[in-house]
Amino acid sequence: MELSLTQSTLFFGLILLAAGGSLLLKYTSVSAILRGFPRSGQAGKVLMILAMAWTGWKVWNLSSMDYGDYKQYILIGFGVLGALSFKYASDFLSVRASCILYLFFADMLVDSAWMRYEEPLRLLMVAPVYLGIALALYLAYAPFRLRDFFGWLFGVESRAKVFSMVTAVYGAVLAGVAFSF
């Protein structure tokens, strides 16, 4: 799915606005959900199935320049890895699956800004996306760190509210900037 720079900036801004706003408005329920998320078995299964489906779709649409001649073998390999992850990497599976999904999502966002150097405001969207890519790679390696982060973040209510306020304001700025492209 091809997104324009305006669409991807608006979409990412609205996601940040919704994430920050939901934590601000429903602090106790959202914080409880987020605290339980890293070890949630149900979320892990659902998100991993979505990640496997998206991976399968991406592999199935590989061109011959991107090893598309071997896509059946790649598809089988990723399918086996995904199935084995339910048994051998079930602890923090929701975090790992979220990292996979974010990397695919980030690929769509970064592709929309590719070779758009004449629009310097694109950096407002691309910079946090790249930061999220680095964070997703780190959390895929050490998913327990998300549990530690949530423990630190929700240890003091004001810390979580400031974090969610910054996220919501940045999302609103991105949504506003989307219309300047």
Side-chain angles (χ1 to χ4, degrees):
M1 181 168 129
E2 294 281 329
L3 293 176
S4 71
L5 184 57
T6 301
Q7 290 170 330
S8 61
T9 304
L10 180 63
F11 188 54
F12 189 52
L14 291 176
I15 287 175
L16 290 177
L17 182 62
S22 65
L23 187 57
L24 277 173
L25 297 175
K26 303 258 186 201
Y27 177 77
T28 54
S29 59
V30 173
S31 66
I33 290 169
L34 289 177
R35 283 180 193 239
F37 173 75
R39 291 203 121 144
S40 173
Q42 291 176 334
K45 289 174 186 169
V46 169
L47 292 172
M48 193 61 178
I49 289 169
L50 287 172
M52 289 172 62
W54 201 344
T55 302
W57 181 78
K58 293 283 273 186
V59 169
W60 191 255
N61 291 310
L62 287 175
S63 68
S64 60
M65 286 188 344
D66 297 323
Y67 300 104
D69 296 337
Y70 306 102
K71 64 180 153 189
Q72 292 83 5
Y73 302 114
I74 296 170
L75 198 58
I76 290 169
F78 276 122
V80 168
L81 283 174
L84 289 175
S85 70
F86 286 107
K87 182 174 182 179
Y88 295 107
S90 61
D91 200 25
F92 297 106
L93 186 62
S94 59
V95 178
R96 290 183 174 105
S98 296
C99 291
I100 294 168
L101 291 170
Y102 178 79
L103 290 173
F104 284 137
F105 176 67
D107 179 51
M108 287 186 345
L109 295 177
V110 170
D111 277 349
S112 69
W114 181 252
M115 302 295 285
R116 304 289 297 264
Y117 302 118
E118 70 278 357
E119 298 170 13
L121 291 177
R122 80 191 185 308
L123 294 176
L124 287 173
M125 187 263 302
V126 173
V129 170
Y130 278 121
L131 182 65
I133 289 170
L135 187 62
L137 292 174
Y138 176 70
L139 289 175
Y141 167 72
F144 60 92
R145 295 290 185 194
L146 186 63
R147 178 200 59 203
D148 298 344
F149 173 72
F150 285 155
W152 171 81
L153 183 67
F154 297 118
V156 178
E157 185 175 337
S158 62
R159 191 182 302 150
K161 292 209 175 196
V162 166
F163 179 78
S164 61
M165 178 67 81
V166 168
T167 303
V169 167
Y170 196 80
V173 167
L174 275 180
V177 164
F179 296 106
S180 69
F181 293 124

